[in-house]
Amino acid sequence: VNISNDLPFAQKRFCGAEGIDKAVTISDHKDVDFGIKYGFLIEELRLLARGVVVIDKNNVIKYVEYVPEVTTEPNYDAALEVAKKLV
């Protein structure tokens, strides 16, 4: 699941351009609810910081990474390692 503050049409356009067809995209544009609740909102820019959250089947957060720079990629391998242990 990918969450951003982009509008749904922009998310669809991005996924199409990048050949991404298995992702679920959610827009947090209207209320920035996810950004506020999970601490990803960059208030001055009304954007979400880049990062990863892994949540187990009981809705318990098992892993969170906040990337300090929007142009930096999260450590996907570390998140996948945690997620694989939950399956």
Side-chain angles (χ1 to χ4, degrees):
V1 176
N2 298 290
I3 303 170
S4 76
N5 277 6
D6 292 328
L7 292 170
F9 74 86
Q11 293 173 327
K12 185 176 181 177
R13 184 179 62 225
F14 172 80
C15 288
E18 297 296 321
I20 300 168
D21 60 357
K22 302 238 187 294
V24 174
T25 57
I26 298 171
S27 176
D28 197 32
H29 177 76
K30 185 177 178 186
D31 298 320
V32 294
D33 188 57
F34 171 83
I36 292 168
K37 288 181 178 174
Y38 283 83
F40 283 93
L41 181 64
I42 304 170
E43 290 184 44
E44 314 80 54
L45 303 174
R46 205 175 191 285
L47 295 173
L48 298 181
R50 187 173 276 185
V52 176
V53 179
V54 177
I55 302 172
D56 72 10
K57 64 182 178 181
N58 297 313
N59 293 322
V60 175
I61 297 171
K62 295 296 185 177
Y63 178 88
V64 176
E65 179 184 4
Y66 299 96
V67 179
E69 176 58 44
V70 176
T71 59
T72 304
E73 294 282 334
N75 184 344
Y76 297 116
D77 291 334
L80 284 171
E81 186 178 318
V82 172
K84 286 177 183 177
K85 291 177 182 176
L86 298 174
V87 179

